[in-house]
């Protein structure tokens, strides 16, 4: 494979230097147009825009669109977590070893690696493999508007590879915790805190009971954790608070344990700690846990062999953060993650991309696809 790092970075830069946080529709559209053009420039590829409702458009890219079955599904997301204005404040920069900028490793470089792999993949492999590449606009909010589409495609697929960044030590990802995010809204009764506090029903006190009860559901041994990360409420120190709100983040390995936890939270709705306070519980995001099946372990062996053949030692991690891999793994489809270049500092100003990992990870993806073509 002939590879020019300078040319790669020239293609990466415009993908970083545009605001494309979730719901930043103009930026998402720009990213989608960039990738659509790259694939339409390759012979035989078909690009379909997918309506992802409030999140904007996604892309479904296929080399054999007439084929009902898909041998390999590749997934990557076009959105970032960063607010409008971030791209102009922190445009892409490069030093001797790393590139920096919003989304540089999470995950514009992963998307671009897919493009480069397809450009250099032997046409004979493309003839043997039915490949579908899905690029969604809302992974950073739990793929609220795209998960159903992704799962529909995954059900037709034999293997799923997700191009999120490899870990800082180069490891790929074999397992990810499940996650859920809940918004709790408490409504009590306002009253003067000095004259007649007994007539009030404190939404904040009810929320405090829920926080303590939620903390007791955490099980560090099994890996199920609840974190009340945001709270708000009240209108003044001298007013019994009528309104309060809390956001709870849940992480878990055991999907059954999570289901029991979800039932517990809904059961509490019927028995508030303070009479007269009502609670509204809304699950805003959800991803089941991703745990390797025997079929996934077979796919891991193929990836390890591919790494050996090109001189890359493949190691695996189980990580706490979720990705779209969670949504396909729960369907029983062999799914692995971390096929992008090496990076770290995700969701922060310290986010970086390891430059010397770009070409080897393109080569790894190519070799994995070649081996999957051989085992058909």
């Amino acid at each position: 494979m002939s590879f020019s790092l300078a040319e790669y970075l020239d293609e990466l830069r415009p993908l970083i230097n545009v605001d494309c946080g979730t719901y930043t529709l103009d930026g998402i559209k720009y990213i989608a147009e960039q990738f659509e053009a790259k694939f339409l420039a390759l012979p035989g590829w078909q690009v379909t825009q997918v309506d992802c409702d409030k999140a904007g458009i996604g892309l479904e890219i296929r080399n054999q669109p007439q084929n009902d079955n898909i041998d390999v599904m590749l997934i990557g997301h076009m959105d970032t977590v960063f607010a409008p204005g971030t791209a102009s404040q922190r445009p892409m920069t490069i030093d001797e070893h790393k590139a920096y900028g919003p989304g540089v490793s999470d995950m514009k470089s992963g998307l671009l690696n897919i493009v480069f792999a397809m450009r250099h993949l032997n046409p004979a492999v493309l003839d043997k493999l039915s490949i579908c590449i899905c690029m969604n606009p809302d992974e950073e909010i739990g793929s609220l508007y795209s998960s159903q589409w992704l799962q529909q495609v995954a059900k037709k697929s034999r293997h799923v590879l997700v191009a999120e960044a490899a870990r800082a030590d180069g490891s790929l990802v074999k397992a990810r915790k499940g996650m859920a995010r809940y918004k709790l809204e408490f409504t009590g009764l306002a009253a003067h805190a000095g004259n007649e506090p007994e007539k009030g029903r404190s939404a904040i006190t009810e929320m405090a009971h829920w926080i303590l009860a939620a903390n007791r559901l955490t099980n560090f041994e099994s890996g199920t954790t609840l974190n009340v990360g945001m709270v708000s409420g009240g209108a003044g120190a001298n007013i019994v608070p009528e309104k309060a709100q809390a956001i709870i983040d849940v992480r878990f390995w055991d999907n059954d344990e999570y289901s029991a936890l979800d039932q517990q939270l809904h059961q509490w709705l019927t028995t508030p700690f303070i009479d007269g306070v009502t609670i509204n519980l809304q699950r805003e995001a959800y991803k089941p846990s991703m745990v390797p099946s025997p079929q996934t372990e077979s796919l891991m062996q193929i990836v390890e062999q591919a790494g050996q053949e090109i001189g890359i030692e493949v190691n695996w991690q189980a990580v706490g953060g979720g990705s779209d891999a969670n949504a396909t793994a729960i369907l029983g489809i062999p799914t692995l993650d971390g096929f992008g270049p090496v990076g770290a500092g995700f969701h922060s100003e310290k986010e970086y991309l390891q430059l010397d990992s770009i070409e080897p990870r393109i080569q790894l993806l190519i070799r994995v696809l070649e081996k999957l073509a051989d085992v058909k």
Side-chain angles (χ1 to χ4, degrees):
M1 182 182 86
S2 60
F3 176 78
S4 166
L5 179 60
E7 291 177 4
Y8 181 98
L9 294 175
D10 284 343
E11 287 196 54
L12 181 62
R13 186 170 288 103
L15 305 175
I16 306 304
N17 293 348
V18 60
D19 290 317
C20 53
T22 317
Y23 299 124
T24 308
L25 300 188
D26 289 344
I28 294 292
K29 181 181 178 182
Y30 174 81
I31 298 296
E33 289 173 345
Q34 290 285 303
F35 282 104
E36 182 174 17
K38 294 179 193 300
F39 278 98
L40 291 179
L42 298 175
W45 288 88
Q46 179 188 86
V47 182
T48 303
Q49 293 191 0
V50 179
D51 182 5
C52 295
D53 199 13
K54 296 178 183 178
I57 60 172
L59 296 180
E60 185 171 316
I61 306 159
R62 296 200 60 181
N63 70 323
Q64 297 180 19
Q66 75 286 352
N67 197 329
D68 289 336
N69 297 316
I70 296 165
D71 295 306
V72 182
M73 179 186 184
L74 294 162
I75 304 177
H77 63 88
M78 298 182 286
D79 60 325
T80 71
V81 299
F82 298 105
T86 305
S88 61
Q89 295 169 3
R90 294 194 294 111
M92 191 174 103
T93 58
I94 305 166
D95 62 23
E96 185 179 357
H97 301 291
K98 298 174 182 176
Y100 307 87
V104 70
S105 55
D106 185 22
M107 59 168 288
K108 297 304 187 300
S109 55
L111 294 176
L112 192 57
N113 268 32
I114 294 176
V115 174
F116 272 70
M118 296 307 110
R119 286 175 182 169
H120 292 91
L121 197 60
N122 190 315
V125 175
L126 286 171
D127 289 341
K128 291 184 69 174
L129 282 182
S130 171
I131 298 173
C132 182
I133 303 160
C134 291
M135 299 185 179
N136 59 330
D138 59 345
E139 191 275 341
E140 296 293 6
I141 58 165
S143 302
L144 289 178
Y145 303 99
S146 64
S147 59
Q148 184 175 1
W149 157 50
L150 295 179
Q151 288 190 320
Q152 287 174 347
V153 175
K155 288 175 182 177
K156 306 175 187 177
S157 305
R158 294 174 59 228
H159 307 95
V160 176
L161 306 177
V162 181
E164 295 271 10
R167 304 293 97 178
D169 65 355
S171 297
L172 278 73
V173 177
K174 67 177 181 178
R176 286 183 177 274
K177 273 191 172 184
M179 67 80 62
R181 184 173 63 250
Y182 294 90
K183 179 167 72 173
L184 282 159
E185 295 176 315
F186 303 89
T187 302
L189 182 64
H192 193 288
N195 292 332
E196 45 188 14
E198 71 281 358
K199 293 185 178 180
R201 297 292 182 270
S202 171
I204 287 180
T205 301
E206 177 70 21
M207 178 177 68
H209 282 292
W210 273 72
I211 292 171
L212 294 174
N215 287 345
R216 288 193 291 271
L217 293 178
T218 287
N219 183 339
F220 289 118
E221 290 186 3
S222 67
T224 296
T225 59
L226 292 85
N227 179 63
V228 182
M230 297 177 64
V231 296
S232 62
N238 61 343
I239 304 170
V240 176
E242 179 183 13
K243 298 287 186 180
Q245 179 177 289
I247 306 295
I248 303 178
D249 178 273
V250 183
R251 305 284 168 149
F252 53 92
W253 287 118
D254 188 323
N255 288 312
D256 292 336
E257 187 168 85
Y258 164 71
S259 295
L261 182 153
D262 180 74
Q263 292 176 6
Q264 179 68 75
L265 292 176
H266 282 87
Q267 183 178 338
W268 286 349
L269 293 176
T270 62
T271 55
F273 293 90
I274 298 175
D275 289 339
V277 176
T278 58
I279 307 106
N280 179 59
L281 176 68
Q282 180 181 355
R283 190 172 74 177
E284 295 185 312
Y286 167 68
K287 288 180 181 177
S289 65
M290 168 191 173
V291 180
S293 66
Q295 293 79 11
T296 303
E297 291 174 353
S298 297
L299 180 58
M300 290 168 63
Q301 291 178 1
I302 291 173
V303 175
E304 290 166 8
Q305 292 167 4
Q308 290 174 1
E309 291 168 4
I310 63 172
I312 294 177
E313 182 180 357
V314 174
N315 296 304
W316 302 97
Q317 277 194 31
V319 300
S323 83
D324 287 317
N326 298 60
T328 61
I330 194 66
L331 301 175
I333 300 152
T335 301
L336 293 172
D337 200 348
F339 282 87
V342 175
F346 315 130
H347 299 188
S348 77
E349 295 182 0
K350 297 180 180 179
E351 181 179 2
Y352 71 83
L353 164 66
Q354 193 75 34
L355 297 179
D356 62 5
S357 74
I358 296 170
E359 181 181 7
R361 295 302 162 137
I362 296 171
Q363 292 177 335
L364 178 63
L365 180 55
I366 289 173
R367 189 66 189 120
V368 170
L369 294 173
E370 290 172 346
K371 293 184 74 64
L372 290 176
D374 289 340
V375 299
K376 278 194 66 178

